């Protein structure tokens, strides 16, 4: 199959025929990224599910684990690090707490209202296993690319993403 003979390429050809007045070349990048993101998400979520986690729960446990000892953060920090609303974060924390993977406690005696979420030993064990499999899965997925292409793609995506994310 030639490079532009995939589904996106066929769609572009149809648009070129129907709307020759428009440059549809951006669709070649955006359309393929969109389709690839969907395919990759499915591959990633399959690993989380094998560990009994959804994508959001995996994200919370991974955020706590990579924070280092004592593996805890305030709910607002978790929401910031995982880019979800505090309401969505509360629901995730509720599910993880019910499963015994995190616990909540007061941040300290001076401020009983401020809470922190901590990774339990069961949560740490689970995220360590899930993250190990997750990294092997990601390595498998990017192994389809030549190492030089992979490095160039990372460089391009890093620069492009910087234009769309706020510091």
């Amino acid at each position: 199959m030639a490079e532009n003979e995939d589904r996106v390429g066929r769609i572009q050809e149809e648009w070129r025929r129907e709307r020759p007045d428009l440059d549809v070349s951006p669709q070649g990048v955006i359309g393929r990224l969109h389709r690839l993101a969907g395919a990759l998400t499915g591959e990633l979520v399959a690993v989380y599910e094998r560990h009994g986690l959804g994508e959001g729960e995996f994200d919370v446990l991974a955020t706590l684990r990579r924070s280092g000892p004592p593996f805890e953060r305030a709910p607002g920090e978790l929401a910031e690090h995982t880019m979800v609303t505090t309401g969505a974060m509360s629901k995730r924390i509720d599910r993880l707490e019910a499963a015994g993977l995190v616990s909540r406690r007061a941040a300290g005696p001076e401020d009983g209202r401020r809470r922190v979420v901590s990774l339990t030993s069961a949560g740490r064990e689970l995220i360590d296993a899930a993250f190990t499999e997750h990294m092997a899965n990601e390595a498998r997925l990017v192994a389809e690319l030549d190492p030089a292409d992979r490095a160039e793609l990372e460089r391009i995506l890093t620069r492009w993403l910087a234009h769309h994310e706020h510091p």
Side-chain angles (χ1 to χ4, degrees), residues 9-165:
R10 288 189 299 274
I11 290 168
Q12 285 179 286
E13 286 305 313
E14 291 170 352
W15 277 119
R16 283 185 186 105
R17 183 190 68 232
E18 295 301 316
R19 291 295 310 271
D21 58 310
L22 293 177
D23 174 14
V24 296
S25 63
Q27 193 175 44
V29 173
I30 302 296
R32 287 183 179 94
L33 278 174
H34 185 70
R35 290 181 56 76
L36 184 58
L40 292 176
T41 297
E43 296 277 350
L44 299 176
V45 168
V47 170
Y48 311 149
E49 289 173 351
R50 280 197 290 277
H51 293 273
L53 299 170
E55 193 171 16
E57 288 85 8
F58 177 90
D59 204 14
V60 171
L61 294 177
T63 300
L64 288 169
R65 178 62 174 96
R66 72 176 182 261
S67 71
F71 308 111
E72 61 185 29
R73 291 191 186 267
E77 289 177 304
L78 283 170
E80 181 180 309
H81 283 271
T82 59
M83 297 182 287
V84 298
T85 66
T86 54
M89 181 54 62
S90 290
K91 290 178 184 175
R92 289 178 183 180
I93 293 168
D94 288 346
R95 288 190 299 267
L96 291 167
E97 187 175 36
L101 302 173
V102 301
S103 63
R104 290 182 179 134
R105 65 172 177 75
E110 66 281 347
D111 186 3
R113 294 176 306 179
R114 188 170 178 271
R115 310 292 285 172
V116 293
V117 178
S118 301
L119 196 57
T120 64
S121 58
R124 183 174 174 187
E125 190 176 307
L126 178 64
I127 193 58
D128 281 351
F131 188 71
T132 298
E133 186 179 348
H134 173 67
M135 285 291 84
N137 189 38
E138 285 193 351
R140 175 186 65 82
L141 292 167
V142 299
E144 299 168 359
L145 300 172
D146 174 88
D149 288 345
R150 188 169 61 219
E152 179 68 3
L153 181 59
E154 183 177 2
R155 186 189 66 73
I156 291 166
L157 292 174
T158 298
R159 190 176 66 227
W160 193 14
L161 187 58
H163 290 284
H164 294 277
E165 286 189 336

